[in-house]
Amino acid sequence: MFVGGVFTGKLVDKFGFRITCFSGSVVCCIALILASFTSRVWQLVLTQGIMLGLGASLIFSPSISVVAQWHTKHRVLATGIAVAGGGIGGMVFSVATEKIIDNVSYKWSLRILGLLLFAISGASSMVYKRRIAPAQGSNTRLLFTIARDPRFICIALAVMFINMGYFEPLLYVPTLAVIQSGTQSTSSNIVLVFNAGTTIGRVLSGLISKLIGPANTNLASNFLCCLFICIFMFSINTVVGYYIFSALFGTISTLYLAVNTHILAHEFGPQVVASSVGLSMACCGVGVLVGNPVQGVLYETYDKTHTKFNAVSAWAVACFAAATACYMVLRWLVGRKHKVSWFQKI
């Protein structure tokens, strides 16, 4: 889903937001329906893995970018509300999928979800409209120009590090909660709380950004993620603590989605926001591809015989600390450009 962001900018520039996103809805629907007929693992990888991921990339990046083109003063708030749909979808569809599987079957759940995805995303894409004409010239040259800018490099490295560590709490906290509570339903409840937190955080990103500035928001939120992981993953050993951590981490950890979109549109121009957001999403994909296997190796080597996941938690702390350092450099670069001190809002 993330790596496909490299191509979404070029597709949006050529065909527009509406056609690109609608095409993604069609691809995702077909991918899930095809996945329901698979009988081999490699078939599932091709359909529900690669094909669904590519289709989702055609939906996700354009859906963020189109909002940034239509808003200036309240861009972070508008984008935050838009991406909050991911958190709401995570809460609703996780429960709905479980109910469908229990009452129908796994295969029919994929078909129903595919049709629902097409109906919701396809219908929503019909209102997408480009406000600003794309930048003139080669898209490849444009991507190269953006990619070598120090400000974009800071954002790219930051989101890569975030996604290298982001899934550690999401994957292992539910397991810890189940170990402590002894009930499997605790795991699902933890995920629901996390998704609720991401929804709230994405909406609040606009208000927080308006209060302390977008660059300061990214810097502060990633520092708090480091702090929360250190406190809760190394010190807390109760189910209540894991619920609190899931709510706090979910709220803080995804602020960057809306804030980065604003920074990219503000620093490089709304006419290239589709390309810049897509390129940054590809960097997120690199982080996921690197981070999850590393966490698996750390777990198998150091944590498998323990009930605490200290090694993978240390990895997550290191990743968010690296992201904090990147955002600190970005804050310095942007502050120097706009002649703003460290103690001012930016």
Side-chain angles (χ1 to χ4, degrees):
M1 183 181 82
F2 290 124
V3 177
V6 174
F7 310 102
T8 57
K10 185 172 184 177
L11 292 173
V12 167
D13 289 345
K14 186 172 183 179
F15 301 107
F17 291 101
R18 184 179 303 161
I19 294 177
T20 303
C21 189
F22 184 80
S23 301
S25 303
V26 173
V27 172
C28 287
C29 177
I30 294 173
L32 287 173
I33 292 176
L34 289 177
S36 69
F37 294 101
T38 59
S39 57
R40 299 286 187 273
V41 174
W42 67 268
Q43 296 171 343
L44 196 62
V45 170
L46 286 176
T47 54
Q48 194 171 350
I50 297 174
M51 189 175 178
L52 180 64
L54 291 175
S57 70
L58 297 177
I59 298 175
F60 189 68
S61 295
S63 297
I64 297 176
S65 306
V66 69
V67 177
Q69 282 203 345
W70 284 92
H71 297 271
T72 303
K73 184 177 181 180
H74 301 292
R75 180 180 288 142
V76 181
L77 176 60
T79 308
I81 293 173
V83 296
I88 296 173
M91 289 187 291
V92 174
F93 277 88
S94 60
V95 176
T97 302
E98 186 177 352
K99 297 295 182 182
I100 294 172
I101 293 174
D102 291 341
N103 290 280
V104 187
S105 67
Y106 164 73
K107 292 183 179 294
W108 267 105
S109 70
L110 290 175
R111 296 163 193 162
I112 293 171
L113 288 174
L115 294 173
L116 281 174
L117 193 155
F118 173 72
I120 296 172
S121 298
S124 300
S125 67
M126 290 296 99
V127 302
Y128 287 13
K129 184 179 179 180
R130 177 188 285 128
R131 183 188 181 191
I132 302 172
Q136 299 298 318
S138 170
N139 184 267
T140 303
R141 184 180 301 174
L142 173 64
L143 289 176
F144 180 74
T145 302
I146 295 172
R148 67 181 182 179
D149 189 287
R151 293 165 297 173
F152 180 83
I153 292 173
C154 289
I155 292 176
L157 289 174
V159 297
M160 183 187 72
F161 285 126
I162 288 172
N163 283 274
M164 285 170 64
Y166 173 77
F167 291 95
E168 184 272 332
L170 186 58
L171 292 173
Y172 295 102
V173 169
T175 302
L176 288 171
V178 170
I179 293 173
Q180 292 297 320
S181 66
T183 58
Q184 194 64 38
S185 61
T186 307
S187 175
S188 301
N189 294 334
I190 287 287
V191 174
L192 284 174
V193 170
F194 177 83
N195 283 319
T198 62
T199 303
I200 296 170
R202 291 169 184 181
V203 174
L204 289 178
S205 61
L207 301 176
I208 298 172
S209 178
K210 187 175 182 179
L211 181 65
I212 66 175
N216 292 334
T217 299
N218 275 343
L219 181 59
S221 63
N222 278 272
F223 173 77
L224 287 175
C225 284
C226 286
L227 187 63
F228 290 155
I229 294 174
C230 287
I231 293 174
F232 287 92
M233 296 301 291
F234 292 107
S235 305
I236 306 299
N237 199 30
T238 64
V239 175
V240 174
Y242 296 138
Y243 274 112
I244 295 173
F245 170 73
S246 297
L248 291 174
F249 184 80
T251 302
I252 298 297
S253 62
T254 55
L255 294 180
Y256 76 95
L257 285 172
V259 175
N260 278 351
T261 303
H262 168 77
I263 293 175
L264 290 169
H266 184 263
E267 295 297 320
F268 299 101
Q271 70 276 7
V272 300
V273 68
S275 296
S276 58
V277 169
L279 194 57
S280 69
M281 288 296 106
C283 297
C284 293
V286 173
V288 174
L289 291 174
V290 173
N292 287 352
V294 171
Q295 290 175 31
V297 172
L298 290 173
Y299 169 75
E300 291 291 335
T301 305
Y302 300 104
D303 292 332
K304 192 172 184 179
T305 57
H306 306 287
T307 57
K308 294 289 285 185
F309 300 104
N310 292 332
V312 291
S313 297
W315 167 260
V317 170
C319 291
F320 277 100
T324 303
C326 292
Y327 279 131
M328 186 175 293
V329 176
L330 176 66
R331 170 64 177 80
W332 174 73
L333 290 172
V334 175
R336 184 181 63 173
K337 176 185 175 183
H338 298 284
K339 299 180 180 179
V340 176
S341 72
W342 282 96
F343 302 100
Q344 292 178 288
K345 180 175 72 173
I346 188 170

